[in-house]
Amino acid sequence: MLSSKSGFKGIWFILPAVLTLLVLITYPLIYGAYISFFDTNLITKWNFEGFRYYKEIFSNTEFLSRIILTLHYTVWVVAGHFVIGLGLSLILNMKLKGITVFRVILILPWLFPEVVVGLLWKWLFNPLYGLFNSVLMGWGIIDDPVSWLGDEKTAFVAVIVVSIWKGFPMVMMLILAGLQSISEDVYEAAKIDGCNRNKAFRFVTLPALMPVLLVTIILDTVWWFKHFTMIWILTQGGPGNATNVVSIDIFKQAFEFFNFGKASAMAILVFFVCWLMGYGYRRLLGNGDD
């Protein structure tokens, strides 16, 4: 049993972490919720509005349509990350010559800043001098330049492609770390029991990876559900509302319309949507501890 002196020392050890969490996470959350009850410019005007902004949000379908569009975007991006990430991690887990070089190359998209990635792909999609139009016209696939980011039919797909390219390395590396933590002895035992490669993947690899997959899918889903930077650089939510996901809408409410109260109310609702998604994943894929 710890003495009172040892317990007092322990408090000093955890105090920096507690203060950091309070300052960087708890305080912004509480302050954001506080702002959502006011019509404010954050300086001189603080008119209490109660639940007015929440009632406005739920009284029309505009916010719901943004949430549905964001879920649509998130589902495609996360699915792309897991298909590409799982496939590449299985290849990178093989004992092949020079595999370390490919590991370094494949993680490069994740290392680039999001601003750089957004500007790079904006140049590639440019209808006048972009690489894609030049290549596709050279191959005879299209006759005229396509405005990939300026057309409602292609802008949403283009944003999804860029987001998948940017985010798959993180999923790939997390799954690869999970694969490398599985002991070879387990595979040997499965082989002795008559498991072929497919059965070993189904009955050994997938169950052993499940904790890693659960954490990865929660992190990836929440991250891309509230993603802002690259979509803003590529399309700023346009054309029309084709890529106007909820994070873009919150930014416009706050910094274009200076409606900080409504923007805060929308952000609080997004927080609960993200929490619900994490809870749902744990219930579906977890071990039932919830």
Side-chain angles (χ1 to χ4, degrees):
M1 185 175 178
L2 292 174
S3 65
S4 59
K5 190 175 181 180
S6 299
F8 187 73
K9 287 181 179 178
I11 292 174
W12 282 106
F13 278 113
I14 66 170
L15 190 59
V18 172
L19 289 176
T20 303
L21 289 173
L22 287 174
V23 172
L24 298 182
I25 297 178
T26 307
Y27 171 72
L29 279 174
I30 294 175
Y31 189 61
Y34 175 75
I35 292 174
S36 69
F37 296 111
F38 289 86
D39 177 15
T40 175
N41 59 8
L42 301 181
I43 301 175
T44 56
K45 186 174 73 172
W46 289 90
N47 299 326
F48 183 71
E49 299 290 342
F51 289 93
R52 173 193 157 196
Y53 293 122
Y54 292 96
K55 291 177 182 175
E56 284 183 8
I57 291 170
F58 287 113
S59 63
N60 62 61
T61 59
E62 186 178 342
F63 181 74
L64 180 61
S65 65
R66 300 284 182 273
I67 291 290
I68 293 173
L69 180 70
T70 310
L71 285 172
H72 191 188
Y73 162 79
T74 306
V75 167
W76 280 107
V77 171
V78 173
H81 287 168
F82 270 77
V83 170
I84 297 174
L86 180 60
L88 289 176
S89 63
L90 290 172
I91 295 172
L92 293 177
N93 195 43
M94 297 177 180
K95 296 176 182 176
L96 302 175
K97 190 176 181 180
I99 202 70
T100 305
V101 177
F102 289 99
R103 288 179 184 173
V104 173
I105 293 173
L106 288 171
I107 202 174
L108 285 179
W110 182 252
L111 299 180
F112 286 122
E114 291 175 350
V115 175
V116 174
V117 172
L119 292 174
L120 174 66
W121 280 85
K122 195 170 186 178
W123 171 75
L124 292 173
F125 284 132
N126 191 286
L128 296 179
Y129 49 81
L131 182 65
F132 288 143
N133 278 330
S134 177
V135 171
L136 293 176
M137 290 175 70
W139 288 347
I141 297 175
I142 58 175
D143 296 323
D144 300 309
V146 175
S147 180
W148 300 100
L149 299 175
D151 190 324
E152 290 188 10
K153 296 178 182 176
T154 56
F156 189 66
V157 176
V159 166
I160 289 173
V161 169
V162 177
S163 301
I164 291 174
W165 185 86
K166 168 64 179 167
F168 83 84
M170 187 199 78
V171 175
M172 178 189 74
M173 295 307 294
L174 288 174
I175 296 177
L176 179 61
L179 286 171
Q180 292 182 339
S181 69
I182 303 173
S183 172
E184 288 292 331
D185 295 340
V186 181
Y187 288 106
E188 291 294 331
K191 191 175 180 180
I192 293 172
D193 288 340
C195 282
N196 56 27
R197 183 171 294 182
N198 292 332
K199 287 184 176 179
F201 178 77
R202 179 181 174 186
F203 296 110
V204 176
T205 305
L206 276 182
L209 275 181
M210 196 55 71
V212 175
L213 293 177
L214 176 61
V215 172
T216 305
I217 198 170
I218 291 174
L219 292 176
D220 205 41
T221 302
V222 172
W223 177 266
W224 291 99
F225 184 84
K226 56 187 180 60
H227 190 70
F228 170 80
T229 310
M230 288 194 307
I231 302 175
W232 181 257
I233 292 173
L234 290 169
T235 64
Q236 297 189 352
N241 286 320
T243 60
N244 196 22
V245 296
V246 70
S247 59
I248 300 288
D249 209 29
I250 292 172
F251 179 84
K252 289 179 178 177
Q253 286 290 337
F255 299 105
E256 289 189 359
F257 309 136
F258 301 105
N259 196 347
F260 295 104
K262 186 174 182 179
S264 296
M266 294 167 69
I268 292 298
L269 294 175
V270 167
F271 167 79
F272 282 108
V273 171
C274 291
W275 180 83
L276 283 174
M277 287 192 295
Y279 179 76
Y281 277 134
R282 291 197 301 274
R283 294 292 293 177
L284 286 173
L285 304 175
N287 55 14
D289 290 343
D290 294 325

